Amino acid sequence: MTKYIGKSVKRLEDKRFITGQGKYTDDIKLVNMAHAYILRSPYAHATINSIDTSEAKAMEGVVAIYTGADIPEAIAGVPCGWQVNFKNGDIMKEPPHPLLVRKKVRHVGDGVAIVIADSKAIAKDASELIDIDYDIHDAVTDPKAAAQAGAPLVHADVPSNTCFDWELGNPKEEVSAAMASAAHVTELEFANQRVVPNAIEPRSAIGHYDTAHDRYTLYTSTQNPHLTRLLMCAFVLGIPEHKVRVVGPDVGGGFGSKIFHYTEEALVTFFSKIVGRPIKWTADRSEAFLTDAHGRDHVTHAKMGFDADGKIVALQAYTYANMGAYLSTFAPAVPTYLHGTLLQGLYTTPKINVDVTATFTHTNAVDAYRGAGRPEATYLLERIIDLAALEMDMDPAELRLKNFIEPFDGVEQEGYVTQVALQYDSGNYAPVLNRALEMVGYEAFRKEQAAQSNGKLLGIGFSTYIEACGIAPSAVVGALGARAGLFESAQVTVQPTGKVSVYTGSHSHGQGHETTFAQVVADRMGIAIEDVEIIHGDSDRVAFGMGTYGSRSLAVGGSAIVKSVDKVLEKGAKIAAHLLEASPDDLDYADGKWTVRGTDKSVAFGDVSLTAYVPHNYPEGLEPGMDFSSFYDPTNFTYPFGAHVAIVEIDKETGAVKLKRFIAVDDVGNVINPMIVDGQIHGGLAQGIGQALHEGTVYDESGQLINGSYMDYCMPRADDLPSFEVDRTVTPCPHNPLGVKGAGEAGCIGSTPAVVNAVIDALWKGGFKVKDVPMPMTPERVWTAMQ
Amino acid sequence: MIPTSFDYKKASSVEEALGMLGDDAQILGGGHSLIPALKLRLNAPGTLVDISKIDSLKVIRDNENSITIGAGVTHAEIAASDVLAQHCPMMGQAANAIGDIQVRNRGTIGGSIAHADPAADWPAVLLATDANVIIQGKNGKRTVDIDQFFKGFFETALEEGEIITTISIPKTAFNRNSTYVKFKQPASRFALVGCAAAVEMDGGSVKSARIGLTGVSEYAYRATGVENALAGKALNADTIASAVSGVTDSVDVMSDHYASEKYRSHLAHVFVKRALMNLSYSK
Ligand SMILES: Cc1cc2nc3c(=O)[nH]c(=O)nc-3n(C[C@H](O)[C@H](O)[C@H](O)COP(=O)(O)OP(=O)(O)OC[C@H]3O[C@@H](n4cnc5c(N)ncnc54)[C@H](O)[C@@H]3O)c2cc1C
């Protein structure tokens, strides 16, 4: 019985956001709070000869100034949470990421000193009086160039700047043999450029040491307060976890960049005890550009072989992945287990090998960014298959349909086992593409395209993707190098009056959990949605959690909630049975009451909950109360998939690309709130389209980020985008109780190659047979391709 | 994003503002170029003299032979002006192409030309209008021909302690037949290339043309080669195509990560052509 599930319930959290009552970290003001400004390196690679803080310290209003030398040796820096080994079995190179550098700066923005003052303005003014003598060295920013002989070294003890090399899939000899048998081989070298996450709320952190209780509180703009607490306590500061509370209040977007434990969080926590005042640090936008972990940054060479019929026979991919100067929390997982494992795509490719070299460069760290690895995998596959269609003069949609894996539901038919270490849960791939073709009006479009003659080039591009989310079975990811479990927890507390408080370890920073989770709970318990409150983001209120990323909240966090709700109902049935003088087996639960089957004898949920807390007339041996915690560890990833189609028009004279239509048919399993899912898809599409056409970092020779502001770094805006045409199919996930797969990243994963393919298609049809135009496909780049 | 501290003074007349402009002071107009520069600490004046509340700087006046625009008139007010739409349509087109609604509601024409950003829209447009810039200093008023106003990269004929009070646009046949086209830098939406063209026709041929370009070089300039090449010719695809070839001849074309020198030059040709083609269709 569903009163809420499947309905577009308006987001309960929006009232506070829309009326400006959201409370973000920077909105929090504590008594006697000091403010920190972090003085950062203006150079990408330099040795610090000396730092003189005396003049700055003398400034009125300055509380303290600390540099790397003031941080105890025992605090080596922020840790990496995922270990990947070299092909030869050696552990990856994992140089420390210090809270403040001691001797050498390794990227523009590397923290050199923390200035703590009565106001942020004073801290900033004082920072300008710090005198630092640097020796400047050559820098390298490109992941492939970094591995070449003679490249400047980021860490003296990491030869060739190589963090690790890694390989997955079938042996290379088998792949080469299959490739040799191919009737056609398509080869492509491309970059999946570096992008900046650009959450609208800059990162912010407040550290507060409470002498009375010998206890710290860290307020921080994070996607996972408990994980931050675990990493900071156990691996950085050595403070017992029960002595630290971490709160992630309202958070204005993360896109992955707020998963990671950052140096600033540890700095404000550590120094709050030393200076005896709460310390707030909030990044300004320039700092966000320089220090929020970036995304993507792969350089790839790939080959795909086809038989005479167009069936794929082999895929070989070589990728250089940029780690930046230091390893961020999940950085090593992104180009490996979140990328290499997805190279089966939707296709039956029998032989696949992927070879990844991860390198350090003199740039800000790169880590998971909306999609994390899967967009890179999708980009690789979908670019190369579209190009192959052009080269073989086949229809790109037919070529895909020909290669799709047959449908399987994961119940009657086994999940599909890939060549690259995964077993897909359930899938039915042709319908998403067919539906998209229908929505586009494919045949009519091809006619219109052929007839085009107004100085504009029309193109259509496809992308059919699969992704892995609902991350993840702990044992599986543990075997793959994760240094954490990836379960989720949930506590459901029924108040005596029958109102329900749900404590979830999933963190909402835009996704609408407070609504979606409440819909699930209200329906499952048969109560009104107003009677459910979703609580998240505070380690003192929520016992444990792994947080929100990898489109896992509903699939994993929602499943944990369902487990707890079921425990409540099970206990409720015992109490109800007692009150109704029946056996629990003879009761039905619906509409918020237990009824003795075949009678009109019933008892309401609220009466049962009251009885649980006022247990006068109560089952013998049953504990009072109604409060259950559960942990849910999934048995597999979930595998959403979809088909995206872009239609573009190129102005031949300027090279400007106009996105005319965008069609997305996604299958994210069961849908709890269609409006929220559409919203997630829309946002993801904008982000993926942004990467294709607008976004991308630009570094100069010396390692300066030269487009680190909104005047230079182009974010996609509403007027860059058409009205999206979205639809979906539903293939439930067979292994979680809600049958949901996850919708947070799909839009961003599928859309990028669709747009790029559309531009390439337009160019080919216009007579310009180029294999690639680098992203972002700026007017100049497209124009150049036509010269 | 915190500026260094400064004093703030609000002037209610030009004379009062001139008196407030000491050594370390700077005029604050709409603030949409200055405030970002202060926040990035690229600029750190000791005092800001706010002229945005001076009523006399906020009027558009329709005179017999000219339209005078107060330096404090905002882009949005220009976009909404009927008299400008009638006498100089490129003004409204350019105003509407500036930034976003907030920028247009705050930023002023005087501030824009005083700032002289190489990618700003007004410089190209005002060059095409044959405007005069009226400037007031402690020692009185002077009038600068727009052709003498822009001197270099963020550099103008304005001296220390002077305030632009008025921009005077002549009512001419070429201004009535004018257009502005712009290719936007995708992030900032400033002009990667902007072209203002004003053409007076005599029968079937061009009597006079004024063409201003922005975004192309270190400061806005007139494409006099193109203007001359058009004189006496019909205005059609062929004459335009041959005239535009000289559009970047006498200037150094800028290069940055959005447009190389080659591409920017190409865009300059395309946008001069498009502007002139627009006018070739109109009567
Ligand atoms: C997001 C954004 C997008 C923008 N996009 C565009 C665009 O597309 N095209 C474009 O052309 N511009 C654009 N601008 C700039 C905008 O038009 C500014 O408003 C304009 O450049 C400056 O005018 P202002 O009144 O804001 O001057 P202010 O910022 O107040 O001052 C700028 C400079 O002029 C001086 N000044 C101001 N008034 C006078 C005066 N009357 N006499 C002498 N000196 C004076 C000041 O001292 C200062 O040096 C954009 C700005 C922003 C923030």
Side-chain angles (χ1 to χ4, degrees), chain A residues 581-627:
Chain A
E581 296 176 342
S583 150
D585 295 339
D586 295 335
L587 300 186
D588 285 331
Y589 186 70
D591 291 337
K593 58 183 189 221
W594 282 273
T595 307
V596 182
R597 202 168 300 125
T599 75
D600 58 0
K601 278 174 62 182
S602 69
V603 57
F605 182 74
D607 292 327
V608 169
S609 65
L610 191 63
T611 306
Y613 288 92
V614 188
H616 298 163
N617 175 15
Y618 205 64
E620 216 181 287
L622 194 68
E623 281 178 23
M626 249 193 172
D627 185 345

Side-chain angles (χ1 to χ4, degrees), chain A residues 711 717, chain B residues 25-36 43 48-49 51 57 71-73 75 94 97-100 103-104 106-117 119-123 158 162-165 180 182 184 187-191:
Chain A
M711 293 304 258
R717 287 171 241 193
Chain B
Q26 195 164 356
I27 297 166
L28 176 67
H32 270 53
S33 292
L34 184 53
I35 305 277
N43 196 345
L48 291 185
V49 176
I51 60 164
L57 297 183
V73 171
H75 312 319
I98 293 176
D100 51 39
V103 176
R104 294 195 287 275
R106 297 289 309 183
T108 65
I109 187 166
S112 175
I113 64 169
H115 191 60
D117 190 302
D121 296 295
W122 288 128
L158 208 58
E162 287 187 323
I163 296 177
I164 300 171
T165 59
Y180 184 68
K182 172 179 181 181
K184 292 179 180 178
S188 73
R189 311 258 164 125
F190 271 82

Side-chain angles (χ1 to χ4, degrees), chain B:
Chain B
M1 299 293 161
I2 298 174
T4 51
S5 64
F6 52 80
D7 288 335
Y8 171 85
K9 293 180 180 162
K10 185 153 84 186
S12 50
S13 70
V14 173
E15 291 65 31
E16 192 188 5
L18 286 169
M20 290 170 169
L21 279 173
D23 263 358
D24 193 19
Q26 195 164 356
I27 297 166
L28 176 67
H32 270 53
S33 292
L34 184 53
I35 305 277
L38 299 184
K39 286 191 168 186
L40 291 167
R41 299 196 169 199
L42 297 171
N43 196 345
T47 305
L48 291 185
V49 176
D50 187 351
I51 60 164
S52 68
K53 301 292 176 312
I54 301 178
D55 290 336
S56 66
L57 297 183
K58 296 175 73 67
V59 282
I60 299 177
R61 190 168 285 126
D62 185 8
N63 312 302
E64 193 178 342
N65 297 316
S66 68
I67 298 160
T68 45
I69 304 171
V73 171
T74 63
H75 312 319
E77 286 159 351
I78 293 174
S81 161
D82 290 336
V83 55
L84 282 167
Q86 185 191 339
H87 290 282
C88 193
M90 65 179 157
M91 293 288 292
Q93 292 165 12
N96 271 321
I98 293 176
D100 51 39
I101 224 161
Q102 289 92 332
V103 176
R104 294 195 287 275
N105 281 338
R106 297 289 309 183
T108 65
I109 187 166
S112 175
I113 64 169
H115 191 60
D117 190 302
D121 296 295
W122 288 128
V125 179
L126 295 185
L127 282 168
T129 60
D130 195 18
N132 278 322
V133 182
I134 295 127
I135 295 171
Q136 200 164 326
K138 285 189 179 119
N139 307 321
K141 267 191 186 174
R142 63 190 181 106
T143 298
V144 178
D145 187 324
I146 194 71
D147 285 324
Q148 309 306 318
F149 186 79
F150 300 106
K151 297 282 188 195
F153 191 59
F154 292 100
E155 203 187 312
T156 68
L158 208 58
E159 306 272 348
E160 278 294 313
E162 287 187 323
I163 296 177
I164 300 171
T165 59
T166 313
I167 290 126
S168 170
I169 314 275
K171 287 183 176 171
T172 61
F174 58 81
N175 279 335
R176 274 192 297 280
N177 185 39
S178 64
T179 189
Y180 184 68
V181 291
K182 172 179 181 181
F183 192 73
K184 292 179 180 178
Q185 194 261 43
S188 73
R189 311 258 164 125
F190 271 82
L192 208 50
V193 165
C195 174
V199 176
E200 179 178 357
M201 300 298 290
D202 183 7
S205 55
V206 174
K207 185 167 176 204
S208 71
R210 290 182 67 98
I211 295 167
L213 277 138
T214 190
V216 179
S217 190
E218 293 209 317
Y219 58 104
Y221 69 98
R222 271 175 65 196
T224 46
V226 181
E227 294 173 0
N228 295 336
L230 286 171
K233 306 256 167 58
L235 199 59
N236 60 38
D238 293 339
T239 56
I240 291 170
S242 87
V244 300
S245 65
V247 65
T248 55
D249 276 359
S250 53
V251 296
D252 286 331
V253 177
M254 291 190 296
S255 182
D256 59 35
H257 72 272
Y258 275 111
S260 64
E261 184 183 332
K262 182 173 170 202
Y263 179 63
R264 219 184 217 99
S265 251
H266 166 74
L267 285 180
H269 287 83
V270 172
F271 280 81
V272 174
K273 185 188 84 182
R274 287 185 180 180
L276 292 169
M277 287 302 293
N278 280 351
L279 298 178
S280 77
Y281 305 131
S282 58
K283 293 286 136 333

Side-chain angles (χ1 to χ4, degrees), chain A residues 157 200 323 724:
Chain A
D157 52 354
I200 198 71
M323 298 282 102
F724 298 135

